Amino acid sequence: MINYIIRRLLYVIPVLIGVNVLTFILFFVVNSPDDMARMQLGDKHVTQASIDNWKQQRGYDLPLLWNEESAGLSKASNTIFFTKSVGLFVFDLGISDNGRDIASDIGQRMWPSLAIAIPSLIIGVLVNITFSLLLIFYRGSFLEFAGVFFCIALMSISGLFYIIVGQLFVGKMLSLTPISGYVPGLDAIKFIILPVLIGVVSGLGSGVRWYRSLFLEESAKDYVRTAKAKGLSDLQVLFKHVLKNAMIPILTGIVVILPLLFMGSLITESFFGIPGLGSYTIDAITSQDFAIVRSMVFLGSFLYIIGLLLTDISYTLVDPRVRLD
Amino acid sequence: MLMPLWTDMAFFILMLGGLYLGWRSSKREHLRRPWKRVFKDTVGVVSLTVLLVFILIGLLDSIRFQQVTNTQSSQQDVISLLDVVLTPMRTQVEKTYSAPFSHTAYAKEMGVDKEGVAKRIYPRLKYGAAHLNNPVTDKFADILKKLMAGTGFSLLVWLGLMFILWGFNKRSFKFVQSKGTKSFLFTLLGVLMIVGAIASLSPFYHVLGTDKVGEDVLYQAIKSIRTGLVIGSLTTIVMLPIAISLGLMAGFFRGWVDDIIQYLYTTLSSIPGVLLIAAAILMAQVYMANNPELFTTVEDRADMRLLLLCIILGITSWTGLCRLLRAETLKIREMDYVLAARALGVGPIKILKRHVLPNVMHLVMITIALDFSGLVLAEAVLSYINIGVDPSTYSWGNMINTSRLEMAREPIVWWSLLAAFSFMFVLVLAANLFADSVRDAFDPRSNT
């Protein structure tokens, strides 16, 4: 088990190197360091001298991947790619291209993202499980057929529709919550309600269908028939046996997305003007801030792989039959 | 003269390929049986009929030719067959916004009222309800009359069709007794009635209003169908070969091949897809800005971007199916029949082709059906972050994006949003229901 975890953690390193190379290539095929400097200095009439100065300060005056002028090993190390990537592996994210400390930016912007992601996840899972249990309980009736059709209909509606209609009705017409924005502290609640609500509703269709299929699979097993044959009521079987056993795939499914909650949601955050990590990434892409994009992608892929590892471990914890080797 | 774009050709080739596959599978019992189940399922038949209507519109919109105009205009318009069908909608362009079925514009303008006094009034539209002298009182009755005429005509056409079928079936209604045929015929009636109603109303009214530059919103929504279909289908074609070949190879050969492929898809799937798409679209824009001579018209450029978007979406979305196929191949390679084939000296490529691939085809089938609806929805989101299709392309995402900016107006301009969302909803719902039906039929576990 310990061996397995160590091996998986070591596997993270080549993946992260690959991710880094890909991000680097994608970014610098599109724009050269000169373009970045011009964009950041913010004017069309920037002199070459000030561009060179900007590049010098931020270390973009080196060649991209291969330095012909250096000798020996530093041919590869004295480049933008190497100098910018090494820091990431010890989680030294450095400063962004407009001079802010990325790590402290992320530390600040993490909280609004979490404030929306965590309630959405918890409420979403509870609501989904409730509805799917209801569908299972009324199996074979018209209610189930209507419920499944309703789920597919909910799935077929664009996520943008939920956001726009939510903002229009709840925010604008009924004036129950602010349309967008965010303040730190306890006052944030009134800004959070609408995004969380919309997050839950937009995930309802696919969520209920997914949990329903898990419950269906579980209730087709022999132990359920045995329990029924012994005279347990449908409700007892559902809650004491089916729900308990179906919790294994449900929990492991949640564990895999837990680390990614930090990253926030790109669309929700930019629609509601929430200063989280999702909007941070989008802003960085539009303002071509390579340092931020690179750090966010690095962080995202790191968390993704940690999520996969956590899932494997949680399988062994909840189901002793699974062994890792 | 025909003037096809790249995506037109790809779309046609795809449809021909689909027909060929359908013909092939109709000759094999193990493929014919699940399809028969789909055709017996009411939901499956209804959703397939709706999808076919959408595909027909997309195909009509993909046949492009140069319009022969009498007027000596400097630029020659390339229009599609669909544009010809929708001529009244396409040409009746107002000045600016107008609400559905409205006879006046959305905004007040200086004008002369009935008493001849100059003041700010809502001006009459150039085309919308222009045939009525007194629209305030007559409009409702007129709309109702045209609606009845349109649907009535459709009903007559449908009854005529039924009569012909009745004649062909030796004067009996036996063919209606099959559940599939019955659902097909009634869906056809519904579609015909909608088409009839639109055909009779749209020369006189803007059924879904007009947008900022006065273009008919219904026309925009119908034109967007092709974009949605192209993104949903071409992307799958880009993704399939990568996913199938790598997935089968990883599962079958194990060892270092498996390691490399697993590394590839872990790396690729851990990068946020938005970043890949944004980088690729930016790259394309830079390339197009540097090589303007390659793209002579706006349409060419927009088409190239659409094609590129499909390719990028395909490259980012193969990992899921690849993982699925790898796991399935791992199971299949231990089966006795694979062992037997290997013992008889069959080469690995042949084993993959003849013994493994046919046994994972149901997974591929289900994934194609499910991915299609996801891609149609994704287009709208990508257009919102400006990394979707070209702003000049008709697409539901662009419609939503432009009208979103107008939400602050009073009264709200809601008709563009409604049109885009409802068209998207109908297409995606049909695709989802069809996918469900296909999955029930092809999933070996549900074969009861």
Side-chain angles (χ1 to χ4, degrees):
Chain A
M1 177 85 177
I2 298 292
N3 268 335
Y4 176 81
I5 294 174
I6 292 174
R7 219 153 17 96
R8 281 295 293 267
L9 280 177
L10 286 179
Y11 185 63
V12 172
I13 295 172
V15 170
L16 286 183
I17 293 177
V19 167
N20 231 328
V21 172
L22 250 172
T23 330
F24 187 84
I25 292 172
L26 278 178
F27 207 89
F28 281 103
V29 164
V30 181
N31 41 2
S32 65
D34 280 29
D35 295 335
M36 287 165 62
R38 217 165 278 135
M39 180 98 183
Q40 292 292 333
L41 294 170
D43 199 25
K44 285 203 166 170
H45 310 286
V46 188
T47 59
Q48 190 59 40
S50 61
I51 288 178
D52 288 341
N53 188 25
W54 185 91
K55 278 161 57 183
Q56 169 94 46
Q57 272 174 6
R58 286 170 178 72
Y60 286 118
D61 53 344
L62 300 167
L64 289 177
L65 274 169
W66 192 251
N67 194 343
E68 277 295 331
E69 290 155 29
S70 305
L73 261 185
S74 64
K75 261 192 195 259
S77 69
N78 204 11
T79 57
I80 296 182
F81 175 68
F82 191 80
T83 51
K84 294 279 168 192
S85 305
V86 160
L88 290 177
F89 284 90
V90 287
F91 287 96
D92 172 20
L93 301 179
I95 54 166
S96 74
D97 291 339
N98 55 14
R100 293 170 60 93
D101 185 33
I102 295 179
S104 82
D105 261 0
I106 290 179
Q108 244 174 29
R109 283 170 162 261
M110 193 173 86
W111 301 112
S113 285
L114 284 179
I116 290 185
I118 291 178
S120 308
L121 178 72
I122 295 174
I123 299 174
V125 168
L126 289 180
V127 170
N128 289 347
I129 290 181
T130 316
F131 275 110
S132 49
L133 279 179
L134 214 67
L135 288 186
I136 292 287
F137 190 70
Y138 290 104
R139 188 147 31 120
S141 72
F142 177 73
L143 193 72
E144 195 213 13
F145 179 77
V148 171
F149 183 83
F150 192 61
C151 281
I152 298 180
L154 278 181
M155 270 169 66
S156 310
I157 297 173
S158 167
L160 294 176
F161 178 81
Y162 292 113
I163 296 178
I164 291 175
V165 169
Q167 280 185 329
L168 206 63
F169 279 93
V170 182
K172 195 175 172 192
M173 288 183 172
L174 303 173
S175 304
L176 291 177
T177 59
I179 293 177
S180 67
Y182 191 80
V183 288
L186 267 184
D187 289 338
I189 290 177
K190 66 176 183 207
F191 290 101
I192 287 173
I193 293 174
L194 190 57
V196 169
L197 186 76
I198 287 168
V200 170
V201 173
S202 60
L204 198 63
S206 50
V208 170
R209 242 164 74 95
W210 163 239
Y211 288 137
R212 176 177 163 269
S213 69
L214 290 182
F215 290 138
L216 271 183
E217 200 172 312
E218 208 57 44
S219 50
K221 287 185 178 162
D222 286 342
Y223 70 87
V224 174
R225 203 183 313 143
T226 315
K228 274 190 187 155
K230 283 167 83 180
L232 266 72
S233 73
D234 278 355
L235 265 183
Q236 274 173 316
V237 175
L238 201 58
F239 280 95
K240 288 207 176 136
H241 296 275
V242 174
L243 181 60
K244 222 173 182 176
N245 280 293
M247 276 324 262
I248 297 174
I250 292 178
L251 279 181
T252 46
I254 293 171
V255 166
V256 75
I257 54 167
L258 271 186
L260 283 173
L261 289 184
F262 285 95
M263 300 298 288
S265 152
L266 300 174
I267 304 302
T268 313
E269 285 183 12
S270 56
F271 251 101
F272 288 98
I274 287 154
L277 290 178
S279 51
Y280 193 51
T281 316
I282 291 253
D283 291 348
I285 292 177
T286 47
S287 67
Q288 304 190 354
D289 194 323
F290 176 57
I292 297 177
V293 171
R294 191 194 49 208
S295 311
M296 287 308 292
V297 171
F298 185 84
L299 201 65
S301 31
F302 181 73
L303 291 172
Y304 173 82
I305 298 165
I306 294 298
L308 291 183
L309 179 62
L310 284 179
T311 321
D312 282 355
I313 296 172
S314 61
Y315 261 122
T316 58
L317 290 183
V318 291
D319 189 349
R321 284 169 303 181
V322 178
R323 287 219 193 103
L324 300 175
D325 46 44
Chain B
M1 195 176 87
L2 282 174
M3 299 281 289
L5 296 168
W6 285 106
T7 48
D8 291 338
M9 290 191 254
F11 194 51
F12 269 110
I13 291 170
L14 192 65
M15 287 305 138
L16 287 178
L19 280 181
Y20 172 72
L21 279 182
W23 176 73
R24 276 279 299 266
S25 52
S26 73
K27 301 206 151 182
R28 303 189 176 189
E29 181 56 29
H30 69 284
L31 289 171
R32 199 163 58 201
R33 221 177 39 159
W35 279 117
K36 264 190 188 157
R37 278 187 64 169
V38 174
F39 292 138
K40 272 184 195 149
D41 183 27
T42 311
V43 177
V45 172
V46 172
S47 52
L48 182 63
T49 314
V50 174
L51 278 182
L52 284 178
V53 172
F54 273 89
I55 291 174
L56 182 71
I57 294 175
L59 285 177
L60 281 181
D61 203 11
S62 294
I63 304 172
R64 256 166 245 275
F65 50 87
Q66 215 145 31
Q67 193 184 21
V68 187
T69 41
N70 295 329
T71 49
Q72 298 293 318
S73 59
S74 56
Q75 64 175 50
Q76 287 228 310
D77 286 344
V78 177
I79 61 168
S80 72
L81 216 55
L82 184 74
D83 287 328
V84 178
V85 178
L86 300 179
T87 302
M89 271 189 234
R90 183 168 58 94
T91 48
Q92 298 185 354
V93 176
E94 307 288 348
K95 245 189 237 161
T96 181
Y97 291 112
S98 68
F101 290 113
S102 169
H103 60 277
T104 57
Y106 168 81
K108 279 187 180 174
E109 251 177 39
M110 277 314 270
V112 185
D113 70 354
K114 279 173 200 150
E115 281 93 50
V117 187
K119 62 175 181 185
R120 290 181 67 80
I121 52 161
Y122 290 110
R124 280 291 295 266
L125 291 177
K126 210 162 142 200
Y127 300 101
H131 62 295
L132 298 175
N133 284 326
N134 204 350
V136 183
T137 49
D138 301 345
K139 197 164 69 176
F140 184 70
D142 187 58
I143 291 172
L144 212 61
K145 209 172 79 190
K146 293 212 158 52
L147 201 64
M148 299 286 269
T151 48
F153 182 72
S154 301
L155 191 65
L156 282 181
V157 170
W158 187 74
L159 286 177
L161 184 77
M162 291 295 278
F163 184 73
I164 293 169
L165 283 176
W166 175 72
F168 268 112
N169 285 279
K170 293 174 190 155
R171 303 192 178 176
S172 84
F173 274 110
K174 246 185 188 156
F175 62 98
V176 204
Q177 274 159 10
S178 125
K179 215 168 150 193
T181 326
K182 208 174 1 182
S183 346
F184 171 71
L185 285 172
F186 278 105
T187 319
L188 194 68
L189 175 65
V191 171
L192 278 177
M193 280 181 138
I194 293 172
V195 171
I198 289 175
S200 93
L201 281 170
S202 66
F204 303 100
Y205 295 97
H206 297 291
V207 177
L208 284 170
T210 55
D211 79 335
K212 192 170 187 172
V213 289
E215 207 173 16
D216 196 286
V217 170
L218 184 61
Y219 173 70
Q220 291 179 331
I222 292 176
K223 287 285 279 184
S224 304
I225 289 173
R226 179 178 168 274
T227 312
L229 289 177
V230 164
I231 287 189
S233 53
L234 284 196
T235 303
T236 323
I237 294 312
V238 174
M239 169 201 107
L240 275 187
I242 313 177
I244 291 179
S245 58
L246 291 185
L248 292 189
M249 268 159 56
F252 191 75
F253 294 117
R254 308 278 295 271
W256 60 270
V257 180
D258 191 17
D259 287 339
I260 290 176
I261 291 169
Q262 272 199 65
Y263 172 74
L264 253 180
Y265 71 61
T266 316
T267 309
L268 206 61
S269 59
S270 68
I271 299 178
V274 174
L275 182 88
L276 283 173
I277 297 163
I281 293 293
L282 284 175
M283 215 157 73
Q285 275 173 336
V286 171
Y287 178 75
M288 284 172 191
N290 292 339
N291 302 289
E293 71 280 358
L294 287 180
F295 309 98
T296 42
T297 60
V298 180
E299 265 172 2
D300 263 357
R301 209 163 24 237
D303 184 65
M304 211 56 215
R305 186 161 158 174
L306 180 62
L307 192 64
L308 197 89
L309 188 69
C310 293
I311 294 174
I312 294 298
L313 281 171
I315 291 175
T316 52
S317 63
W318 60 269
T319 52
L321 181 61
C322 182
R323 194 182 307 233
L324 213 65
L325 289 180
R326 174 182 167 271
E328 194 65 21
T329 313
L330 277 177
K331 267 186 245 162
I332 289 174
R333 80 189 286 274
E334 305 297 336
M335 295 275 179
D336 288 342
Y337 56 83
V338 176
L339 195 70
R342 205 178 295 167
L344 290 170
V346 184
I349 304 291
K350 209 160 193 182
I351 293 181
L352 279 179
K353 212 181 122 202
R354 298 212 7 210
H355 300 286
V356 182
L357 187 61
N359 286 303
V360 297
M361 265 336 248
H362 68 282
L363 288 176
V364 176
M365 207 71 159
I366 294 164
T367 312
I368 292 177
L370 283 178
D371 277 5
F372 176 82
S373 47
L375 288 165
V376 174
L377 292 178
E379 184 270 324
V381 174
L382 290 178
S383 294
Y384 165 70
I385 345 179
N386 284 326
I387 53 173
V389 295
D390 193 82
S392 69
T393 310
Y394 287 108
S395 90
W396 294 312
N398 279 337
M399 283 173 72
I400 294 167
N401 200 16
T402 45
S403 51
R404 194 180 54 88
L405 304 170
E406 307 291 336
M407 284 222 309
R409 278 173 185 262
E410 247 351 295
I412 301 167
V413 180
W414 47 269
W415 42 92
S416 274
L417 284 176
L418 179 86
F421 278 129
S422 31
F423 267 76
M424 204 153 57
F425 176 67
V426 173
L427 175 60
V428 174
L429 183 66
N432 271 337
L433 289 175
F434 184 61
D436 226 41
S437 178
V438 167
R439 195 185 49 191
D440 283 349
F442 275 87
D443 196 346
R445 272 181 306 176
S446 70
N447 256 332
T448 44

